[in-house]
Amino acid sequence: MPDSFEQLSDWVERTAQKAQPERVQWCDGSEQEWEGLKQEMLKTGHLHTLNPETFPECYLHRSHPDDVARVEHLTYICTPRQEEAGPNNRWMPPQEAHERFETLFAGCMKGRTLYVIPYCMGPLQSPWSQLGVEITDSPYVVANMRLMTRMDPVILKRIHAGENFVRGEHSVGNLNPEQRYILHFPQENLIQSIGSGYGGNALLSKKCHSLRIASWQARQEGWMAEHMLIVGVQPPDGETYYLAAAFPSACGKTNLSMLVPPETFRGWKVWTVGDDIAWLHIGADGRLWAVNPEAGYFGVVPGTNAKTNPNAYQMIHRQTIYTNVAVTAENEPWWEGLPQGQPVVDWQGRPYQATHGPAAHPNSRFTTRSRLNPAWSPHSEDPQGVPISAILFGGRRPHLVPLVLESKNWIHGVLMGCGLASETTAAASGKTGVVRRDPMAMLPFCGYHFGDYWTHWLSMQDRATRLPRIFQVNWFRQDRNGRYLWPGYGENLRVIQWILERCKGTVPARETPVGYLPEFECDLNLGNLDVPPEALQELFFIDAEAWKREYDDLGNFFSEYSPRVPAALQEQLAAIRREL
Ligand code: OXD
Ligand code: MN
C-alpha cells in the first residue's frame, strides 16, 4: 500500500503503463483547471450548456442509456475469505478480481487522458478526514469530484509527508454492461472500477471509499461509516440539536436534510451538515460526533420543486451539473415533478414523446457544492463534527410502520435498524417498488459481513457513554386506496419536534411492544395541519398480527447471517415476539 509521494508516482506510472493513455493530467480542483476541462467537454459533447440567463453556469451531461444507476449485481467485495464479505455482498477472491480487471484495463485509455485526482473526505483540518486518489479517464468524473470532495493542493503535500490514502482506479472502458465491475479490496485500501461512468460506480470517493472501504476501517478502528444524512434543528430557544438519519437511496434524505420549516414553526431553523454519508466517532465527552465526508450533493432530481425542497430547488439554479434530465424549448433543465415548463428533448437527447416514458430519467441527478445550499451549516467544516442526539431509521413502507416509533434502548434501536426495509428505487438497476430488507440502509454499502456489522453497532454501547436515542420514522404510509396518509416534506418537522422533546425528556410516550409512540392528540404538534383524525389513527395504528409476521420475516432474514447474528439481537427479537 503506497503511503508516500514516491509510491503514489510509481502507482500512477504503473497504471498509465497498463491503460496506455495519450496523456496524464494531475488535477488540483482549481478554477483554471475547470475552465480547460469544461471547454474540452463542451467540444466533445460530454457537457451541454443550459440557459445561462436562468441557469448560470449549469451544464447537462447525458450518460449512456445503459449506464444510469448503481449496479449492485456487478459490485464486489474482494477479501481472501468469502465469510469476511458475508451474504450481504457479492464476493470475488482478490486474485481473480485483479486478473479480470487487469484484462479489461489493458489499453483501455488509448487516445484518452488519464486524470489523477487527489481528494480529501471530511474537513481538511479534521482528525477524522481521509485522503484518496482516484485515477480516471472520465472528465465528467473530474468535474463531479471537484464539487463533491475537497480537492486541494495541500493533499499532495500531506501524501508527501507520509499520510495514507485510498487508491481508486477507474475507467469508463467501453461502457459495455457485460464488462463492468466495481471491485473493492478493503485489505489493500484499493478500489477498481471499469465500464461505467455513473456516479456511485465512478465517483469512487462516494459509496466505494466513504462507505464500503470506510465501513471496513471503521470496524477495525472503533468508529462508524453510515449511509446517513446529518441535520441540525434549532428551535426558537436557540440550542441546535443534530440528528443523523439512515434512509435507503432516493427515500428523501436530501429533502429531510434541507427541510424548510412550515408556517407554524416560525423561528425554527434547519441546518444541513450532510445529505448522504456520516462518519461517526466517539468524542472526548462520550457522545457520537458526526462529520460529513462529502463537500457536495449528488441528488435525485425528479420530484424536486419549490414546494418539496425549496432550498435544493433554489440551489440548483446555478453552478450545477445535471445528469440525464430533459430540456425545454428555453434550454432549461426539466424533470417530472416540476409544475412549470414543457420538455422538448428527453434525457437521451431525443425529441420528447410521452410514449417513450419519462422525459427525465427517474434517477437523473444534480451535482453541486454544498455551500450553495441556503441551509448549509458552517459546522460542516468543523473538524470535530457535530454531536448527535438522535439516530433515525426510515424507509418507504406503505403499511405497518407508524409515522414515528422510539426504541426502548440501544439494543432495541439496533434491532429497529436491522429491520429496516423499503421499496426499491431507480437509484440502483433492477425492479423498482419491491419492498426489500435494507438494514441500516447499508445493504448495498456495507463492506463486510452484516453479522459482524451488527455486532459492531452493539459494541458502541461499551465504547460511548452518551449514545443517541434511536427512532424509526415512516413518511410513506398509505391508506387502503394507496394514498399517502402524511403530507411529508416540511411537515416532517412536527415529528422531529417530538423526537427532540423525547431527547430532552420533556414529553411522555405510550409504550407498545414494538416501541414508544407519541400520544398524537396531545404530544404531537398538529397545529394548522390538514390531516383528518382517521388518517392520524391509521398513521399510528400498530397491527400486532402484521408485526408478528414482520418479526418472523426478520428472524428468517437473520438466519441467512447465522451464526454471526449477535445473540442480544436474537433475544430482543424473541422478547418482542413474545410480547406481541
Ligand atoms: C446515492 C445512492 O446516490 O444512495 O446516494 O444511490
Ligand atoms: Mn445514498
Side-chain angles (χ1 to χ4, degrees):
M1 183 173 60
D3 57 8
S4 74
F5 192 72
E6 280 72 14
Q7 283 166 304
L8 168 61
S9 316
D10 279 0
W11 168 56
V12 171
E13 209 168 292
R14 271 184 283 115
T15 309
Q17 269 162 18
K18 284 185 256 171
Q20 296 169 30
E22 198 169 287
R23 54 192 283 273
V24 173
Q25 180 176 335
W26 288 72
C27 303
D28 60 9
S30 65
E31 280 304 314
Q32 197 189 356
E33 175 181 281
W34 166 232
E35 263 317 302
L37 268 173
K38 187 170 70 185
Q39 293 314 329
E40 181 70 26
M41 284 192 281
L42 288 169
K43 229 185 316 162
T44 54
H46 281 94
L47 283 189
H48 304 271
T49 307
L50 291 165
N51 189 323
E53 309 275 291
T54 46
F55 285 82
E57 293 176 72
C58 290
Y59 300 91
L60 167 64
H61 172 79
R62 291 194 185 101
S63 68
H64 190 280
D66 282 339
D67 186 31
V68 290
R70 285 184 290 101
V71 281
E72 294 176 9
H73 60 295
L74 301 171
T75 299
Y76 290 84
I77 299 294
C78 310
T79 46
R81 288 177 301 127
Q82 183 164 9
E83 76 219 49
E84 293 171 291
N88 44 309
N89 282 301
R90 274 148 219 87
W91 172 79
M92 208 187 284
Q95 181 156 349
E96 181 185 338
H98 283 311
E99 279 166 13
R100 283 198 199 196
F101 185 78
E102 299 293 299
T103 308
L104 296 171
F105 203 68
C108 68
M109 294 191 191
K110 278 191 187 143
R112 301 180 188 166
T113 300
L114 178 156
Y115 302 95
V116 184
I117 314 173
Y119 63 85
C120 177
M121 300 314 284
L124 285 173
Q125 310 300 334
S126 173
W128 299 322
S129 69
Q130 290 197 14
L131 304 185
V133 179
E134 174 165 353
I135 289 175
T136 181
D137 55 5
S138 161
Y140 167 79
V141 166
V142 185
N144 278 269
M145 293 285 283
R146 182 178 158 266
L147 303 176
M148 298 292 300
T149 72
R150 290 150 179 100
M151 280 171 68
D152 190 292
V154 79
I155 293 155
L156 284 187
K157 293 202 185 111
R158 281 167 61 171
I159 292 176
H160 247 307
E163 196 167 322
N164 266 338
F165 60 94
V166 170
R167 287 178 294 158
E169 298 172 7
H170 169 253
S171 168
V172 292
N174 55 15
L175 289 177
N176 177 354
E178 304 289 312
Q179 300 186 345
R180 185 173 291 166
Y181 289 107
I182 324 295
L183 309 167
H184 304 74
F185 305 85
Q187 285 110 324
E188 298 172 49
N189 257 3
L190 172 68
I191 304 151
Q192 295 185 319
S193 164
I194 189 154
S196 167
Y198 170 76
N201 306 326
L203 311 177
L204 302 185
S205 61
K206 194 172 176 61
K207 304 300 185 181
C208 304
H209 176 165
S210 296
L211 285 176
R212 297 195 191 97
I213 298 286
S215 60
W216 176 284
Q217 295 172 341
R219 177 178 170 229
Q220 321 285 316
E221 297 163 12
W223 54 282
M224 303 166 91
E226 299 297 329
H227 191 205
M228 289 179 178
L229 66 92
I230 309 163
V231 65
V233 181
Q234 187 177 13
D237 69 11
E239 199 189 340
T240 305
Y241 292 81
Y242 292 92
L243 318 176
F247 294 10
S249 308
C251 285
K253 282 198 299 300
T254 305
N255 290 343
L256 182 60
S257 72
M258 21 182 116
L259 174 156
V260 172
E263 266 300 295
T264 7
F265 282 73
R266 198 149 303 145
W268 286 66
K269 290 207 178 89
V270 172
W271 302 98
T272 322
V273 178
D275 82 324
D276 196 40
I277 300 177
W279 285 353
L280 301 149
H281 289 79
I282 298 163
D285 59 0
R287 287 193 287 176
L288 269 191
W289 289 71
V291 295
N292 171 15
E294 301 189 284
Y297 308 119
F298 183 66
V300 177
V301 185
T304 307
N305 61 46
K307 203 163 154 248
T308 57
N309 190 338
N311 284 326
Y313 186 62
Q314 179 182 333
M315 172 178 82
I316 61 180
H317 273 70
R318 63 191 167 117
Q319 293 176 20
T320 296
I321 298 175
Y322 285 91
T323 302
N324 293 337
V325 294
V327 179
T328 67
E330 293 75 37
N331 196 25
E332 292 181 347
W334 193 91
W335 53 88
E336 276 68 21
L338 207 58
Q340 73 281 2
Q342 289 292 329
V344 293
V345 176
D346 76 5
W347 65 275
Q348 297 190 53
R350 305 172 300 189
Y352 172 65
Q353 280 180 30
T355 48
H356 283 157
H361 189 274
N363 192 35
S364 50
R365 298 281 178 147
F366 60 78
T367 319
T368 194
R369 281 193 208 284
S370 6
R371 275 174 193 259
L372 292 185
N373 169 9
W376 180 78
S377 164
H379 289 289
S380 310
E381 285 301 327
D382 208 323
Q384 294 303 323
V386 292
I388 297 299
S389 298
I391 287 176
L392 277 53
F393 291 117
R396 289 175 190 268
R397 291 301 297 261
H399 309 290
L400 189 82
V401 179
L403 183 61
V404 59
L405 195 57
E406 181 186 345
S407 65
K408 297 185 182 177
N409 51 50
W410 184 257
I411 299 176
H412 181 211
V414 174
L415 186 71
M416 264 183 182
C418 293
L420 198 62
S422 188
E423 289 179 343
T424 49
T425 65
S429 62
K431 205 164 156 29
T432 59
V434 183
V435 175
R436 73 164 180 182
R437 297 228 158 261
D438 189 352
M440 284 79 174
M442 283 287 279
L443 179 65
F445 306 123
C446 180
Y448 61 101
H449 196 298
F450 257 160
D452 299 335
Y453 171 70
W454 299 326
T455 304
H456 182 53
W457 261 82
L458 291 181
S459 77
M460 296 316 274
Q461 270 196 129
D462 310 323
R463 302 168 201 263
T465 48
R466 292 164 65 194
L467 281 170
R469 289 189 183 220
I470 300 182
F471 297 81
Q472 185 164 12
V473 295
N474 181 20
W475 320 136
F476 300 94
R477 194 154 171 172
Q478 297 173 6
D479 68 12
R480 233 161 280 140
N481 302 314
R483 277 188 301 253
Y484 289 114
L485 291 161
W486 181 248
Y489 305 112
E491 306 298 349
N492 294 335
L493 191 54
R494 296 170 193 271
V495 175
I496 288 176
Q497 182 183 16
W498 184 76
I499 289 174
L500 296 189
E501 298 294 345
R502 288 295 296 162
C503 293
K504 292 191 247 175
T506 47
V507 283
R510 182 157 61 90
E511 185 167 355
T512 76
V514 293
Y516 296 119
L517 287 176
E519 294 287 3
F520 64 80
E521 300 89 343
C522 47
D523 293 333
L524 203 63
N525 177 351
L526 298 173
N528 289 336
L529 183 72
D530 192 16
V531 176
E534 317 78 73
L536 284 168
Q537 293 282 358
E538 207 169 330
L539 271 168
F540 288 100
F541 177 60
I542 302 289
D543 179 344
E545 287 308 313
W547 275 99
K548 275 191 217 159
R549 286 195 296 275
E550 174 75 2
Y551 279 116
D552 288 347
D553 190 65
L554 182 57
N556 292 337
F557 179 69
F558 273 170
S559 55
E560 292 169 35
Y561 295 89
S562 153
R564 295 203 186 205
V565 180
L569 290 181
Q570 299 277 25
E571 283 156 20
Q572 181 76 52
L573 189 146
I576 300 178
R577 189 72 187 66
R578 272 195 306 275
E579 241 191 283
L580 279 164

